[in-house]
């Protein structure tokens, strides 16, 4: 099994650019590359998917246990030639100071994947060895097999860094990459702009791969990636068999405004027998006929004018709600289901209007990070007192008098460090800022499937 994990010393060191370039270089060699991202990120995986033609997967130790991570990895990598995992933040950064709590290093140990460490070589020589040695020695169970030096302009400078690291650390240096603004990707308030919004990506990534091949030893990376197989004890067969449905469908919002989904969530719905019907809140006139509706996160604030203009779609969704079709919405989906959305220019746009409230864009992140919610009462996903894990990552607040559906808590090093209320439930509709992975609580899917009603379809609406 060929697999590698590309980690950085810190956020902003260039691991995403290096990871994308390596994925593209491997793909251009006609290899089937299976990409992954450590943590809850949705945007980086969209680039992985664009490059490789295969859905990138999130390996998130907060929402998935070790066996579930191995299950996700094995299932997606089954027919791949090589698996490339992009790390999150710095190699040892996670929740608190526990090195095995949601870190890239812990993920590498779960997968038994060799680590390639990306460092910033600017303005350093032998000191680079001290940096690499620290990362090597902090957790000796982490298999750091190679180093890539980013942000180095000349081969002479690179050779000094390479000699220092290999002499003092005993770690192979696999190449370097010079600074190049041509390969920078556009950003906005939640990070990189999603791949679905950018034209000309194919040419940009082909050029990136050509540069990567000039400076980084791709052949050696392939050799290093050959490692042992891993096995998982996690199984879904019994759950799927016990909860299989027939003749049912789910409408899933997917376009430039709404595209933040864990791929496993959608695949689990398919495996349970649901027919997936994608629709665009931006362009389609109305919902497809369906038994359930799922609206993920995204950037409704960027496309609020188009959303407001699509009156028939907004009316179609509200009608589905009034007819008790189960609707589950996350983050951007919550913003969409409110009455109005106020953008950064203080311009107000009409939304669906299921919940009495207004989304308002903010200048800073709100409730950023991992958290969990305990249901105050029954919702389409949760029975009272059931818990759902997830993460929040948004630049908006939802101002409303609606009663909240969950008590939310954030923990660090075993202690509750923040507590608030969030999420809104009305009839068979649930909307919350919380992004969740269905594997962490399979009862969510049971609850959703059991909330379906026939009235809407029987009357021939929609």
């Amino acid at each position: 099994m060929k697999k590698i994990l590309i980690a950085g010393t810190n956020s902003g060191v260039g691991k995403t650019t290096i990871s994308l370039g390596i994925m593209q270089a491997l793909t251009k060699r006609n290899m089937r590359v299976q990409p992954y991202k450590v943590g809850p990120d949705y945007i980086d995986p969209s680039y992985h998917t664009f490059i490789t033609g295969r859905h990138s997967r999130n390996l998130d130790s907060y929402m998935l246990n070790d066996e579930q991570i191995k299950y996700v990895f094995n299932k997606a990598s089954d027919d791949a030639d090589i698996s490339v995992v992009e790390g999150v933040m710095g190699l040892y950064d996670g929740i608190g100071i526990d090195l095995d709590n949601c870190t890239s290093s812990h993920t590498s140990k779960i997968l038994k994947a060799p680590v390639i460490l990306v460092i910033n070589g600017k303005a350093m020589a032998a000191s680079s060895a001290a940096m690499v040695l620290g990362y090597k020695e902090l957790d000796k169970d982490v298999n750091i097999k190679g180093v890539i030096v980013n942000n180095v302009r000349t081969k002479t400078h690179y050779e000094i860094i390479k000699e220092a690291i290999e002499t003092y650390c005993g770690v192979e240096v696999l190449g370097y990459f010079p600074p190049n603004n041509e390969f920078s990707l556009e950003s906005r308030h939640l990070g990189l702009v999603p791949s679905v919004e950018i034209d000309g990506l194919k040419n940009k990534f082909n050029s990136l791969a050509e540069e990567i091949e000039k400076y980084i030893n791709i052949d050696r990376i392939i050799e290093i990636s050959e490692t042992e197989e891993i096995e998982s004890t996690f199984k879904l067969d019994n759950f799927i068999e016990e909860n299989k449905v027939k003749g049912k469908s789910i409408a899933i919002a997917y376009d430039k405004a709404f595209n933040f989904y864990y791929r496993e969530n959608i695949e689990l719905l398919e495996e349970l027998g649901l027919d997936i019907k994608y629709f665009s809140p931006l362009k389609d006139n109305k919902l497809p006929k369906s038994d359930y509706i799922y609206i993920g996160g995204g950037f409704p604030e960027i496309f609020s004018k188009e959303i407001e203009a699509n009156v028939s779609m907004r009316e179609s969704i509200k009608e589905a709600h009034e007819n008790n079709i189960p609707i589950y919405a996350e983050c951007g989906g919550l913003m969409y289901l409110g009455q109005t959305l106020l953008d950064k220019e203080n311009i107000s746009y009409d939304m669906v209007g299921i919940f009495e409230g207004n989304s308002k864009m903010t200048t800073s992140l709100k409730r950023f990070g991992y958290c969990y919610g305990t249901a105050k009462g029954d919702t389409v996903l949760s029975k009272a007192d059931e818990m759902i894990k997830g993460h929040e990552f948004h630049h908006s607040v939802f101002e409303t008098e609606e009663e909240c559906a969950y008590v939310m808590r954030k923990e660090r090093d075993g202690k509750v460090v923040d507590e608030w209320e969030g999420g809104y439930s009305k009839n068979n509709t649930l909307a919350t800022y919380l992004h969740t992975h269905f594997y962490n609580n399979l009862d969510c899917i049971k609850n959703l499937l059991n909330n379906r009603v026939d009235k809407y379809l029987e009357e021939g609406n929609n």
Side-chain angles (χ1 to χ4, degrees):
M1 172 178 277
K2 291 184 173 64
K3 55 183 183 289
I4 55 168
L5 188 149
I6 301 173
T9 54
N10 55 277
S11 294
V13 76
K15 66 178 176 295
T16 296
T17 300
I18 298 296
S19 297
L20 295 175
I22 289 173
M23 289 178 192
Q24 183 69 69
L26 293 169
T27 300
K28 289 184 72 173
R29 293 182 177 208
N30 295 318
M31 297 185 75
R32 292 169 294 183
V33 181
Q34 177 55 52
Y36 300 89
K37 173 69 178 181
V38 177
D41 191 303
Y42 292 107
I43 298 176
D44 288 354
S46 74
Y47 288 94
H48 300 173
T49 299
F50 179 89
I51 286 172
T52 66
R54 298 169 68 97
H55 291 291
S56 185
R57 314 294 173 137
N58 292 85
L59 304 175
D60 191 330
S61 292
Y62 182 80
M63 286 186 274
L64 304 177
N65 63 38
D66 292 1
E67 295 303 315
Q68 289 171 332
I69 284 178
K70 289 188 282 187
Y71 174 87
V72 169
F73 185 87
N74 281 340
K75 185 177 180 182
S77 294
D78 183 56
D79 63 342
D81 296 317
I82 188 169
S83 298
V84 179
V85 183
E86 180 188 347
V88 63
M89 299 184 291
L91 176 60
Y92 294 111
D93 296 325
I95 299 177
I97 63 170
D98 185 345
L99 301 184
D100 288 330
N101 195 349
C102 302
T103 60
S104 299
S105 58
H106 180 62
T107 303
S108 75
K109 292 189 290 185
I110 294 171
L111 301 178
K112 299 181 180 179
V115 173
I116 295 174
L117 184 67
V118 179
I119 71 169
N120 183 355
K122 183 179 181 180
M124 278 202 303
S127 293
S128 60
M131 178 190 296
V132 172
L133 187 62
Y135 281 85
K136 179 182 177 182
E137 293 296 316
L138 187 60
D139 185 345
K140 294 182 179 180
D141 292 328
V142 176
N143 184 18
I144 299 178
K145 289 288 289 184
V147 171
I148 293 173
V149 186
N150 194 28
N151 206 21
V152 171
R153 293 185 180 277
T154 67
K155 187 175 181 180
T156 301
H157 183 190
Y158 163 68
E159 292 291 349
I160 294 171
I161 293 175
K162 173 180 168 67
E163 184 178 4
I165 292 172
E166 292 185 343
T167 298
Y168 297 114
C169 307
V171 178
E172 184 176 357
V173 181
L174 302 168
Y176 72 106
F177 200 66
N180 191 328
N181 291 331
E182 178 186 349
F183 303 122
S184 62
L185 294 168
E186 186 180 350
S187 297
R188 66 163 65 112
H189 49 276
L190 294 183
L192 296 178
V193 173
S195 62
V196 293
E197 295 183 43
I198 300 178
D199 297 324
L201 277 181
K202 188 176 182 61
N203 290 336
K204 175 175 283 193
F205 287 137
N206 280 332
S207 297
L208 175 59
E210 291 174 4
E211 292 300 300
I212 287 285
E213 289 273 14
K214 289 180 185 177
Y215 298 103
I216 296 173
N217 190 341
I218 301 298
D219 290 331
R220 184 62 183 139
I221 288 176
I222 295 171
E223 291 173 358
I224 286 173
S225 73
E226 189 63 61
T227 53
E228 65 182 289
E229 304 281 337
I230 56 172
E231 296 182 358
S232 172
T233 60
F234 178 71
K235 306 294 180 186
L236 277 171
D237 298 348
N238 290 340
F239 175 81
I240 292 171
E241 184 64 29
E242 292 170 0
N243 295 279
K244 198 87 170 179
V245 297
K246 293 182 179 180
K248 308 300 180 187
S249 62
I250 183 167
I252 298 180
Y254 197 93
D255 58 17
K256 289 183 177 182
F258 302 95
N259 50 70
F260 290 0
Y261 297 93
Y262 291 116
R263 183 62 193 171
E264 288 77 32
N265 284 6
I266 295 175
E267 289 177 348
L268 179 56
L269 296 172
E270 288 180 310
E271 290 167 339
L272 286 165
L274 290 167
D275 179 24
I276 307 296
K277 297 182 178 181
Y278 292 104
F279 72 96
S280 170
L282 296 179
K283 296 183 178 180
D284 292 338
N285 293 327
K286 62 179 182 178
L287 283 167
K289 186 180 292 186
S290 58
D291 301 85
Y292 311 88
I293 301 166
Y294 183 13
I295 306 173
F299 291 103
E301 67 273 18
I302 303 299
F303 303 95
S304 47
K305 185 175 181 179
E306 294 95 319
I307 289 172
E308 181 184 59
N310 195 347
V311 176
S312 61
M313 174 57 77
R314 291 190 287 112
E315 290 177 343
S316 177
I317 292 175
K318 191 169 184 182
E319 184 181 4
H321 161 76
E322 291 169 349
N323 284 277
N324 282 325
I325 295 297
I327 302 174
Y328 172 52
E330 294 180 338
C331 202
L334 164 62
M335 299 165 69
Y336 182 46
L337 297 187
Q339 289 176 307
T340 61
L341 190 157
L342 193 67
D343 69 10
K344 288 186 176 180
E345 284 70 44
N346 289 321
I347 301 174
S348 180
Y349 297 91
D350 289 337
M351 296 288 115
V352 174
I354 291 175
F355 296 101
E356 297 178 3
N358 311 298
S359 297
K360 182 178 180 180
M361 299 307 298
T362 58
T363 57
S364 60
L365 281 170
K366 300 297 179 184
R367 306 294 184 193
F368 168 61
Y370 292 121
C371 52
Y372 61 90
T374 303
K376 296 168 64 177
D378 291 352
T379 74
V380 293
L381 285 193
S382 313
K383 300 295 183 184
D385 298 323
E386 287 183 344
M387 186 188 76
I388 301 180
K389 279 186 172 183
H391 79 280
E392 291 194 11
F393 189 73
H394 48 96
H395 262 274
S396 68
V397 292
F398 190 66
E399 298 176 337
T400 181
E401 296 298 320
E402 298 269 12
E403 183 180 354
C404 291
Y406 292 86
V407 175
M408 307 298 301
R409 295 181 179 90
K410 178 186 285 191
E411 290 186 356
R412 186 180 302 122
D413 298 326
K415 298 178 181 179
V416 175
V417 295
D418 198 5
E419 182 172 306
W420 67 98
E421 291 192 352
Y424 307 94
S425 180
K426 183 181 290 185
N427 298 340
N428 269 357
T429 297
L430 172 66
T432 172
Y433 272 121
L434 189 71
H435 297 276
T436 190
H437 196 298
F438 291 160
Y439 283 13
N440 80 58
N441 188 352
L442 293 172
D443 286 339
C444 291
I445 302 303
K446 285 185 183 180
N447 294 331
L448 179 66
L449 297 180
N450 290 333
N451 268 285
R452 204 196 72 83
V453 296
D454 294 317
K455 177 183 177 183
Y456 187 62
L457 296 177
E458 287 174 354
E459 292 181 352
N461 288 317
N462 198 30

